[in-house]
Amino acid sequence: MEKEPTSFYTIRFGDCDPFGHLNNSRYLDYCLNAREDHLRDHYGIDLKAWAAQGIGFVVNRHEIRYIRPVGYNDRVCIQSSLIGWGDTWLQVEMLVWDEPKEQLKAVLWTVFTRIDTKTGAKTTHPGELVDWIAQVVLDEGSRDLDERMAKLKSTRPR
């Protein structure tokens, strides 16, 4: 099972600031949309169907590092990976690369909390989700973004 799916996106004019750079908040949108695409296309997970079953995830926090600017009409490659988890949460890393994956543009870590969509209450992962997590989680050996950034800078793109 693929642990680091990727997809490509072209940066739209309306998503850029007056300098032609991707607006800081729009990185989140591109990354979260990519993760949703990866869940659907690579793992067969339909978030709408999950929500109808009472399974939901809400963003608990984001941590983002902007490394190099992304501009209007640039084509980027976004890679996402599950890098950590607990009984009620998942931590996802999203890497924004240039199209050939030679330059890292940004790193986003997002923690999602699992909720019951019918009650809004935090809930634990069921056994079948834990089994899936065990198959796809990456062990990057770091829970600190500074350490992860150092590792990314010292290795060639995947």
Side-chain angles (χ1 to χ4, degrees), residues 139-150:
D139 181 16
E140 292 296 333
S142 175
R143 292 292 156 247
D144 178 82
L145 189 52
D146 288 329
E147 288 177 22
R148 178 66 173 140
M149 294 295 299

Side-chain angles (χ1 to χ4, degrees), residues 103-157:
Q103 285 192 336
L104 185 61
K105 303 290 190 169
V107 177
L108 171 64
W109 278 9
T110 300
V111 175
F112 297 93
T113 299
R114 182 160 192 264
I115 62 161
D116 180 322
T117 60
K118 295 172 182 154
T119 65
K122 185 179 355 180
T123 186
T124 58
H125 304 306
E128 61 272 10
L129 184 57
V130 171
D131 293 342
W132 175 81
I133 290 168
Q135 292 178 44
V136 300
V137 69
L138 287 181
D139 181 16
E140 292 296 333
S142 175
R143 292 292 156 247
D144 178 82
L145 189 52
D146 288 329
E147 288 177 22
R148 178 66 173 140
M149 294 295 299
K151 183 176 180 180
L152 286 166
K153 288 177 182 177
S154 69
T155 59
R156 293 189 51 82

